[in-house]
Amino acid sequence: MDETRTGGGAARIALYLLLVVLGALVGVAGALVQTAWFPGGLALSLAGAVGLFYSGTQLMGGRGGVGAPAAGWLVAVILLTASRPEGDFVFGAGAGSYVFLLGGMVAAVICATIGGFAQPGGQAARLGK
């Protein structure tokens, strides 16, 4: 990873922690918005997740930058799927909830596998024959 982009080790750890917290916030906000304004809320919540995952990869300069917000998003969403003793829950049994859950996971995988990252110490162009 490029140390000039993220600073030293302590700054990099702080950025990862910030990405985890942002991922959890986007997960909670997306869970609430996707059912409130269906289907526009579903698209908005998935777009927010994709934006955060892709921004994490670009900010951290590699594929590891998607892991932190995706972990925060996944923990928040999984905790919201569990029903409480009172019988309350955030996610209903509709198709939109499943699209949000699976779509967010697929978005994290896609953002992690997108190419375009320079290899450390590698050349910018291919060598000719």
Side-chain angles (χ1 to χ4, degrees):
M1 179 167 61
D2 188 13
E3 290 293 327
T4 60
R5 179 181 294 177
T6 58
R12 195 170 84 221
I13 291 171
L15 280 174
Y16 277 122
L17 290 176
L18 178 67
L19 286 172
V20 169
V21 171
L22 285 175
L25 290 175
V26 167
V28 170
L32 297 175
V33 169
Q34 62 95 14
T35 56
W37 300 319
F38 189 79
L42 177 62
L44 182 65
S45 61
L46 286 176
V50 169
L52 179 63
F53 298 156
Y54 186 72
S55 297
T57 61
Q58 296 302 310
L59 177 68
M60 300 310 287
R63 291 177 181 90
V66 75
W73 183 91
L74 187 63
V75 167
V77 169
I78 293 299
L79 289 176
L80 290 174
T81 59
S83 63
R84 297 179 32 186
E86 297 88 13
D88 298 333
F89 53 90
V90 175
F91 288 102
S97 298
Y98 293 115
V99 170
F100 175 68
L101 293 170
L102 294 175
M105 291 181 220
V106 168
V109 170
I110 288 173
C111 288
T113 57
I114 288 177
F117 300 110
Q119 294 293 325
Q123 296 180 356
R126 290 186 170 192
L127 296 175
K129 289 186 177 184

